[in-house]
Amino acid sequence: AGQGVGTLGQPLGDMLATNLARVEGLRVVSNARMVEVTGQLGGRGDSAASSAEVAREAGATELVDGSLYDVAPGHLRLDLRRVDLATGAVLRAYTVQGSDLFALADSGTGRLAGDFGGQRPAGSLADVTTRSVEAYGFYEQGLRRYFGGDLPAAEQLFARALKADSTFAMAAFYRSQSLSQGTRAEIFAALWQAVQLADGASDRERLLIRATWARVNSSPSAGAIADTLMVRYPAELEGYLLSGMAAMLAGNYEAAHRPLREVITRDSLGLSGKAVRCLACEALQALAGSYDEEDSLPAAIRVAREWVRLQPTSGVAWRSLAMMLGSAGKLDSAQLVLAHADSLDPSAPAAWQYQFALLLRGGRLTEAEEFARVQLRAAPPSQRVEAIWDLCLVYRHEGRPRAAVDLARQYRDLRREAVARDAAPLSSFLYGQTLFESGNYRGAAAVFDSMSRVRIPDQDASATARNQVWTLTHKSTVLAAMGDTAGLPALADSIQRFGQLSGLGRDRVLHQYVRGLLARARGRHEEAAAAFRAAIVSTSLGFTRVNYALAGELMALGRAPEAIPLLRSANRSIYEGAALYITHTEIQERMAQAFEAVGRRDSAAVYYQHVVDAWEKAEPEFTPRYLEARAKATRMLERQ
């Protein structure tokens, strides 16, 4: 509230919260969190009573509110009160005076810090925010638009704040978070601007910026920074969310559960659907994903069901459940759930891809092919490129990799990614994969080698290292298939070195896969099996070509029973895993062979028949395997 000051006092709440958070030992709910909770409560928060309600919901025990007065030209007065939220009693009142808002924030912080038994923070608030009242005003308005769901308006306000002060780190950070319609390069460039300015921000805000940057770049520092944010500022939920996501990234799934569950428990208001960002929703999605990657699918389904119970009108929640059910092979139930999600959110972009994924997972390849062709004709131009990707996946599963090569080339060309002259764009991955699967090993090796020279334009070495690990691993697969193993030891060493620069758990162990390829080529099955096993972080959603390779070595060693669960886990993936790094059909062929080896002829017959159905239109190279599968399926079914 205030007299004669207009909107001048609006930034003061953020100023005081930011400055008080610099007092050692004092736990402060940030103004951004207060604005977010205000939005979740339907915009209430302008009166003293509603501010108290917001503060209680945000986890505070005391509220500092105040009134600003313009008492004379160049002279402002700020009256502050400390209110006990449990009783409503005013614990203490203060009055400070100054020539501008920054002087008032510094003086008010000093008085409050002393009363709380702390030391006034060194320097001025302006040292860790901005020296421009105009910039602060635009920033505070931007926060309200951002948490109110108007991202374009928020982005413009943060941009105006940066125009007033180009060194304002948090304006740059929230501008990057507001660019929902921007390209990946634009979003990363905006976030990188915030990172470059982070040293001039407060401790909490600096940690938030760097933890966000580390997560999106798969940096090995992601966990440590997020954990520091969580421990130092326990009232802020972003630290818990980022900590859980960093643990998932590293493959430490068990460690991800507690912080993610903390967000779900404490952000019940986020599930109301009234705010632009729901931290609890992000945590529920991540927690279900963590269990999925752990190959604990029943637990993943339980979390997905919990999400739809807590947020029954969310199409995103219902689609998550549909995918989990599809992954479990409960395809009829998944279709019903997906139809309900579409009824709740019929305008969701590219919602048709979920339907395609279920058809692919169910082995209904003819339907999946026709579905992708319909999307090529009917989808908006911006989404047709993804229909090309989907049709390419179907061709691969049907044993038609040569036909898939042309589609993969179209996909790469339509993406139009700008890269250095000596590098292939990252959209070339499917092109390299289909060249490999069609037997063009030299072409595939050249594509993956060229992709390894891409330098990710987001200024972080971990993202570039992740790309090098990934592409060189695929190059190693191709070289091993060619019988050219001379370069594998050096490639394994390079992948191990690059992997240590990445925070992705998979990247740190993929060198073991390449060492397994070398041992396999030398006929050392025990050594190869041990190396392949060491290369697995997630059996269900990881690099499932390792599952396939390990299963082959176990079968060669007479240990087929151990191969079956590895293959079953790989087979249940939908868009990633077996659907991309290897095909469901190849996985199912090996599953049939494993079941046959252990004498389970009924199960073997089922999987051989899956192979026959998938490869009915396969290219000539697949004919011998197709005929063998058909003969075995027929013989085994006749004996039942």
Side-chain angles (χ1 to χ4, degrees):
Q3 295 180 356
V5 293
T7 61
L8 183 63
Q10 288 182 352
L12 258 178
D14 190 284
M15 289 178 158
L16 280 167
T18 300
N19 221 17
L20 283 168
R22 299 168 65 211
V23 177
E24 187 174 354
L26 191 60
R27 294 184 176 181
V28 179
V29 178
S30 70
N31 183 59
R33 178 64 180 153
M34 290 286 287
V35 173
E36 182 177 17
V37 174
T38 299
Q40 293 170 345
L41 287 171
R44 305 190 302 274
D46 293 332
S47 68
S50 54
S51 293
E53 180 186 5
V54 170
R56 278 191 292 269
E57 289 288 349
T61 57
E62 291 187 20
L63 173 70
V64 176
D65 67 9
S67 300
L68 177 67
Y69 301 91
D70 186 0
V71 295
H75 192 79
L76 299 171
R77 189 185 87 220
L78 176 62
D79 293 341
L80 293 171
R81 302 185 312 158
R82 274 180 55 200
V83 179
D84 186 318
L85 290 174
T87 64
V90 176
L91 301 176
R92 190 156 182 184
Y94 315 81
T95 295
V96 294
Q97 301 186 43
S99 59
D100 59 34
L101 296 183
F102 295 101
L104 290 177
D106 288 336
S107 297
T109 299
R111 294 286 300 277
L112 288 162
D115 204 25
F116 282 115
Q119 295 292 319
R120 176 173 177 163
S124 169
L125 168 70
D127 297 332
V128 295
T129 54
T130 174
R131 296 184 181 278
S132 167
V133 173
E134 181 185 25
Y136 223 129
F138 286 136
Y139 168 72
E140 199 273 342
Q141 293 176 54
L143 284 180
R144 295 183 181 277
R145 292 298 184 95
Y146 175 79
F147 288 111
D150 190 350
L151 297 185
E155 191 275 328
Q156 290 298 315
L157 286 163
F158 293 130
R160 292 175 72 180
L162 284 168
K163 185 175 181 180
D165 181 358
S166 61
T167 68
F168 196 174
M170 288 307 290
F173 174 75
Y174 277 110
R175 178 174 176 268
S176 74
Q177 304 303 293
S178 302
L179 287 168
S180 61
Q181 301 302 314
T183 65
R184 182 180 186 275
E186 290 170 340
I187 294 169
F188 269 73
L191 185 54
W192 174 240
Q193 181 183 12
V195 173
Q196 290 176 302
L197 298 171
D199 283 343
S202 70
D203 182 64
R204 185 194 72 85
E205 294 171 336
R206 180 169 58 251
L207 287 169
L208 176 60
I209 292 170
R210 289 180 173 168
T212 303
W213 177 254
R215 181 183 65 80
V216 299
N217 282 280
S218 305
S219 172
S221 65
I225 300 173
D227 288 349
T228 302
L229 177 62
M230 180 177 65
V231 170
R232 290 187 188 174
Y233 303 97
E236 304 297 317
L237 297 185
E238 285 95 339
Y240 296 90
L241 182 63
L242 290 166
S243 179
M245 289 181 168
M248 284 182 62
L249 186 75
N252 299 328
Y253 303 115
E254 186 66 31
H257 298 168
R258 187 191 65 79
L260 292 175
R261 183 54 72 181
E262 184 75 15
V263 177
I264 296 164
T265 300
R266 292 172 54 184
D267 190 43
S268 59
L269 281 175
L271 297 162
S272 66
K274 296 178 181 177
V276 63
R277 186 180 184 194
C278 167
L279 296 179
C281 303
E282 293 180 43
L284 281 160
Q285 190 165 34
L287 185 59
S290 176
Y291 283 121
D292 197 12
E293 291 186 34
E294 292 175 72
D295 208 10
S296 298
L297 194 51
I301 292 174
R302 283 197 300 273
V303 173
R305 291 192 184 280
E306 177 186 0
W307 188 5
V308 299
R309 179 179 58 79
L310 291 170
Q311 202 174 35
T313 60
S314 168
V316 176
W318 284 97
R319 287 191 182 94
S320 176
L321 176 59
M323 291 300 101
M324 294 297 176
L325 292 171
S327 187
K330 300 177 180 180
L331 297 168
D332 291 341
S333 296
Q335 292 278 9
L336 291 173
V337 170
L338 186 58
H340 183 63
D342 290 341
S343 71
L344 291 170
D345 189 12
S347 62
W352 56 269
Q353 288 189 293
Y354 294 89
Q355 177 65 35
F356 171 81
L358 290 179
L359 292 173
L360 189 70
R361 171 64 180 86
R364 294 159 60 180
L365 300 184
T366 299
E367 292 178 68
E369 180 179 341
E370 180 56 30
F371 191 86
R373 291 188 185 282
V374 169
Q375 300 310 316
L376 271 174
R377 297 190 297 268
S382 62
Q383 295 179 22
R384 287 176 195 167
V385 65
E386 299 308 323
I388 293 174
W389 173 282
D390 291 347
L391 186 58
C392 188
L393 289 185
V394 177
Y395 279 8
R396 293 175 56 244
H397 283 62
E398 291 178 334
R400 301 164 65 189
R402 283 187 294 173
V405 167
D406 291 335
L407 287 170
R409 188 188 296 113
Q410 288 180 47
Y411 178 83
R412 177 202 64 189
D413 294 344
L414 287 170
R415 290 298 297 255
R416 298 176 182 172
E417 294 177 5
V419 292
R421 185 174 299 176
D422 66 338
L426 299 184
S427 55
S428 299
F429 171 78
L430 200 55
Y431 182 48
Q433 183 75 2
T434 53
L435 286 172
F436 166 62
E437 291 170 345
S438 65
N440 186 347
Y441 295 151
R442 294 194 181 280
V447 168
F448 289 128
D449 183 71
S450 184
M451 287 175 63
S452 73
R453 292 193 289 274
V454 170
R455 296 298 176 262
I456 309 298
D458 47 28
Q459 311 296 318
D460 194 283
S462 55
T464 295
R466 179 174 175 174
N467 176 63
Q468 289 170 311
V469 168
W470 195 223
T471 52
L472 292 178
T473 296
H474 285 284
K475 178 182 176 182
S476 300
T477 301
V478 177
L479 293 178
M482 292 171 63
D484 182 3
T485 59
L488 292 185
L491 278 170
D493 290 343
S494 294
I495 291 168
Q496 183 174 10
R497 185 173 66 254
F498 291 135
Q500 304 316 301
L501 300 176
S502 170
L504 188 65
R506 181 190 68 192
D507 291 349
R508 293 174 168 261
V509 297
L510 271 180
H511 67 96
Q512 294 283 9
Y513 165 71
V514 182
R515 301 188 198 283
L517 293 176
L518 184 61
R520 184 179 68 183
R522 293 173 177 173
R524 301 174 182 170
H525 297 302
E526 288 282 5
E527 181 182 338
F532 287 144
R533 194 177 294 279
I536 295 176
V537 173
S538 170
T539 57
S540 54
L541 297 179
F543 180 40
T544 45
R545 183 166 285 275
V546 186
N547 299 46
Y548 184 78
L550 175 54
E553 295 307 288
L554 292 171
M555 291 168 67
L557 291 165
R559 294 156 57 185
E562 297 176 48
I564 292 171
L566 287 163
L567 294 167
R568 184 178 283 122
S569 293
N571 188 54
R572 71 172 182 77
S573 59
I574 293 186
Y575 245 17
E576 296 283 325
L580 183 57
Y581 314 136
I582 195 165
T583 66
H584 287 136
T585 314
E586 292 169 281
I587 291 284
Q588 289 165 350
E589 179 190 36
R590 186 151 286 181
M591 286 182 74
Q593 294 163 352
F595 278 119
E596 184 181 12
V598 300
R600 294 176 56 180
R601 300 174 68 87
D602 52 345
S603 296
V606 169
Y607 285 104
Y608 276 130
Q609 189 60 49
H610 286 327
V611 173
V612 172
D613 294 341
W615 281 348
E616 190 174 3
K617 298 183 291 185
E619 290 164 359
E621 291 81 357
F622 289 84
T623 300
R625 293 161 68 184
Y626 167 76
L627 292 175
E628 181 181 4
R630 188 175 67 178
K632 288 188 173 184
T634 301
R635 186 167 62 251
M636 291 176 182
L637 289 170
E638 286 175 349
R639 292 180 180 179
Q640 289 182 14

